[in-house]
Every structure is written in structure tokens, then in C-alpha cells.
Amino acid sequence: IHEGLQPLMAAVTSTREIYLPLIGMTLTVAVVFIPIGLMTGIAGVLFHQFAFTVAGTVIFSGIFALFIAPVLC
């Protein structure tokens, strides 16, 4: 919008600029926390819910940032 684009084109342009870093960040955090949730022993019991909650939240946040947030502008 700042550069004189229509709102839809501005959303498409900004999404094209950030989609690779966004996907990389989302997958990196999810890949780190999913194995923590699959650990056995006392550590697995303690971190199971936390790890899957963080991984699920990060994946949902990445999807929201990629598809929904640009449309809201």
C-alpha cells in the first residue's frame, strides 16, 4: 500500500517476500520440539504435552501468518 499498490496486490507481494523464511522458521521449531515430545522416560513424561503444544502452536501460527494475516490488511 505504501508503494501505491492495491491492497490485494500489496498482500500478495509481501507474502511472496516472506514465505520462505516463514516456512523455514516454522519447520525448524516444529522439528526441534516434536522429538522432545517423543522421548521416553521421565523427561518424555514431563515434556510430552509441552513439546506438542509448542510444535502445534508454531505450525498453526505459520499457517496463519502465511495465509490469513496478509488478507486482513
Side-chain angles (χ1 to χ4, degrees), residues 1-11 73:
I1 296 173
H2 178 70
E3 296 176 1
L5 295 173
Q6 296 295 324
L8 179 61
M9 288 308 298
C73 294

Side-chain angles (χ1 to χ4, degrees), residues 55-69:
T57 303
V58 167
I59 291 170
F60 178 76
S61 175
I63 291 170
F64 182 84
L66 192 59
F67 294 113
I68 310 249

Side-chain angles (χ1 to χ4, degrees), residues 6-36:
Q6 296 295 324
L8 179 61
M9 288 308 298
V12 169
T13 303
S14 63
T15 302
R16 284 184 185 157
E17 291 178 5
I18 66 160
Y19 80 93
L20 283 177
L22 181 67
I23 291 172
M25 178 208 58
T26 301
L27 290 178
T28 301
V29 174
V31 166
V32 167
F33 277 100
I34 288 174
I36 293 173

